[in-house]
Amino acid sequence: MLDALSEAISIILTGEPLLWLTVGILIGIFVGSLPGIGASLGMALILPLTLPLDGVNAIILLVSIYSGGMYGGSIAAILLNAPGTSAAAATTLDGYPLSRQGQAITALAMSAVASTLGGFITIVLLILISPFLVRMVLLFGSPQYFLIALLGIAMIAIVARGSLIRGVVSGMFGLLIATIGMAPMVPQQRFTFGDPALFDGISFVAALIGLFAIAEMINLAGEEGGVAQTDMEITGSIRSGISSVLTKPYLIAKSSLIGMGIGSVPGAGSTVSTFVSYAEALRSSDDPDSFGAGNHEGLIAAESANNATIPGSLIPTFSFGIPGSGSTAVLLGGLIMHGLQPGPNLFSSDLQITYAVFIALFLGNFVILFVGLTFISRMGVLTKIDTDIIIPMIVVLAVVGGFLLRINWIDVLTVFGLGIIGYYMKRYNYSVIAFVLGIVLGPIAEENFARSLTLSDGSLMIFVNDPLSLIIVIAIVALTIGPAIRGVFKKQLG
């Protein structure tokens, strides 16, 4: 391992990988900041152009776009409530309120530092324990994937503040939307009305663009002035943003580990990890009522988990050829295209290539930090742009981004339809977070539930017949009944 690590460092220090690393990060930040575009599409567009490069440089370029895109999604999320990537949806919950309060510069600096630290922690950890993580990932099968998705859905009990009934209704509505299209494991259409455009279901990325970008533009349409409240000046500073992050080392470490852990489960992805991390920060906070109104801990938790998901998602991709997200699916295509076969070889004879990618990710965080604290953090001026100018721009970007997802007109209708629904959900206090959890986790839960029952001949015991499954089930039960038990104790003590 030490020889491979030394060789990987030599590869990086030749200079050319550093160039592609920087180019990739900058491309990633740009495409990630555009609502609906994101790292996956950016990587897919660049993939054919990597043919002239050797395998190491090509993979470093692609993985750097992935890393930069994950951070870049927070820019539009904080400034415009339009997450550039689905993973940045959790960032909007407290990042955008801070922008509305005139603290855009502080929020952007917090995002850059939290993302960087989350990446540093998990990449170092990944290099140290990658052989052991491979063994751990092998323990997960369809039953465990289903239970992990169910664990995320159980978070509705935590994130649905106010009326729990409305939170459950929102979550169930999200699950219902997720059932549109072809059923998993069975060639059966559901709610498609015979239209081929619906066979692949509703894109949850298009749904997120509508729920956050279009819904907020409808809300802003009734206001005058810029995104920041008219009686507020854009204040805050880079220094206060850095200070706010550095004073919460435990939160950063915990959120980073959550992001890495969930990211290592194929199919879970960064969207799940950021919302789970956000919900955990809310659960453990001394001031949970301030979440969603500009709480620094909420923003830090989401952004720490965001970039921390990347190292975790590389484990199943490199080890088994199982992509943990859309971006790693493109990365997998890049590996194969350049003759690098995922599997044991990447952790044995080609270990130096694997470590070179890990080191490139580590160094890429310095680029993210530099860009975030010198250039992007000065974009707080966007919040002063008049709404008559910014609303058409965001709507056009949302529509173009929605259409480019699959070149499918149904995604454009999804953007507008769920944008209107999202506006009324916020107006009548229905939990948008619960809806997002439902629509994101629904397909994961359903597919793995069906596969598990096929493997067990219909027996539900497959979900409790091993220690790992039992641990997850106990966590689900604790999350579900925890709020009720806490309420009983409060009444008795009060």
Side-chain angles (χ1 to χ4, degrees):
M1 288 179 63
L2 290 177
D3 290 340
L5 188 60
S6 176
E7 187 175 349
I9 294 173
S10 299
I11 291 172
I12 294 294
L13 294 181
T14 57
E16 192 175 351
L18 293 176
L19 170 64
W20 294 117
L21 160 69
T22 304
V23 170
I25 291 290
L26 294 177
I27 292 174
I29 292 175
F30 175 73
V31 298
S33 64
L34 300 176
I37 306 300
S40 300
L41 182 56
M43 292 170 70
L45 293 174
I46 294 295
L47 182 59
L49 304 180
T50 65
L51 280 171
L53 303 178
D54 64 72
V56 176
N57 287 331
I59 301 307
I60 286 176
L61 173 61
L62 291 172
V63 83
S64 298
I65 294 174
Y66 183 16
S67 180
M70 293 293 280
Y71 164 67
S74 67
I75 299 170
I78 290 171
L79 295 178
L80 305 170
N81 202 40
T85 62
S86 59
T91 301
T92 64
L93 302 174
D94 284 292
Y96 183 68
L98 283 171
S99 188
R100 294 276 286 169
Q101 296 163 17
Q103 299 292 324
I105 295 175
T106 302
L108 287 166
M110 289 168 58
S111 170
V113 177
S115 294
T116 300
L117 292 178
F120 281 151
I121 292 171
T122 51
I123 292 166
V124 171
L125 186 61
L126 176 60
I127 292 174
L128 294 176
I129 66 172
S130 54
F132 307 102
L133 282 176
V134 172
R135 297 176 188 173
M136 186 181 71
V137 172
L138 280 172
L139 296 175
F140 281 79
S142 292
Q144 289 76 32
Y145 294 153
F146 165 71
L147 292 173
I148 285 289
L150 204 59
L151 179 67
I153 293 172
M155 287 286 181
I156 290 174
I158 294 175
V159 301
R161 289 166 292 158
S163 172
L164 181 60
I165 298 298
R166 291 186 178 184
V168 172
V169 168
S170 299
M172 294 303 103
F173 181 52
L175 289 171
L176 180 64
I177 292 292
T179 62
I180 297 174
M182 299 296 292
M185 310 292 291
V186 180
Q188 181 178 350
Q189 300 176 26
R190 301 179 303 189
F191 309 114
T192 63
F193 308 102
D195 192 333
L198 288 170
F199 284 3
D200 290 331
I202 298 296
S203 167
F204 75 87
V205 178
L208 291 174
I209 294 172
L211 284 169
F212 289 96
I214 299 298
E216 184 58 30
M217 292 307 103
I218 295 174
N219 182 57
L220 281 180
E223 301 181 10
E224 295 181 358
V227 175
Q229 295 174 0
T230 53
D231 57 345
M232 300 288 290
E233 290 293 329
I234 293 182
T235 56
S237 67
I238 294 175
R239 179 178 296 179
S240 62
I242 295 173
S243 175
S244 181
V245 175
L246 295 181
T247 54
K248 298 176 177 63
Y250 174 73
L251 175 64
I252 293 170
K254 178 175 66 173
S255 301
S256 299
L257 292 176
I258 290 174
M260 184 177 185
I262 294 178
S264 66
V265 178
S270 53
T271 307
V272 178
S273 68
T274 52
F275 274 101
V276 170
S277 179
Y278 182 87
E280 168 57 23
L282 186 153
R283 183 199 65 79
S284 60
S285 175
D286 295 330
D287 185 22
D289 292 336
S290 66
F291 277 68
N295 188 296
H296 287 197
E297 292 183 3
L299 176 58
I300 293 170
E303 283 301 297
S304 298
N306 196 348
N307 270 35
T309 304
I310 300 174
S313 68
L314 295 181
I315 291 293
T317 306
F318 281 20
S319 303
F320 321 118
I322 302 174
S325 64
S327 297
T328 49
V330 180
L331 183 63
L332 178 62
L335 285 169
I336 296 172
M337 189 175 79
H338 287 275
L340 300 172
Q341 189 63 38
N345 285 344
L346 285 179
F347 287 89
S348 54
S349 59
D350 293 330
L351 185 58
Q352 73 280 1
I353 296 176
T354 303
Y355 280 158
V357 174
F358 292 167
I359 294 170
L361 272 175
F362 182 84
L363 296 176
N365 281 284
F366 286 104
V367 181
I368 289 174
L369 186 64
F370 175 77
V371 173
L373 297 183
T374 55
F375 300 105
I376 305 300
S377 58
R378 303 187 184 203
M379 292 181 64
V381 69
L382 288 177
T383 59
K384 286 189 173 181
I385 299 176
D386 193 277
T387 54
D388 290 338
I389 298 174
I390 209 166
I391 290 174
M393 291 173 58
I394 297 303
V395 170
V396 169
L397 283 175
V399 171
V400 172
F403 182 72
L404 289 176
L405 291 172
R406 301 182 297 182
I407 317 298
N408 188 340
W409 62 266
I410 203 68
D411 291 336
V412 177
L413 293 181
T414 299
V415 168
F416 282 110
L418 288 181
I420 296 171
I421 291 173
Y423 168 74
Y424 282 104
M425 286 179 70
K426 292 178 182 179
R427 183 173 178 180
Y428 293 104
N429 297 318
Y430 282 85
S431 175
V432 174
I433 312 175
F435 178 87
V436 169
L437 286 173
I439 198 170
V440 170
L441 295 174
I444 299 173
E446 185 183 13
E447 181 178 348
N448 286 289
F449 181 74
R451 187 179 292 118
S452 299
L453 292 183
T454 300
L455 293 172
S456 66
D457 293 325
S459 173
L460 294 175
M461 292 304 295
I462 194 173
F463 299 113
V464 292
N465 62 2
D466 66 89
L468 180 59
S469 295
L470 281 174
I471 291 172
I472 302 174
V473 168
I474 291 170
I476 292 170
V477 173
L479 279 175
T480 304
I481 67 174
I485 294 176
R486 187 164 59 246
V488 171
F489 275 112
K490 282 185 177 180
K491 288 182 180 179
Q492 289 180 348
L493 296 174

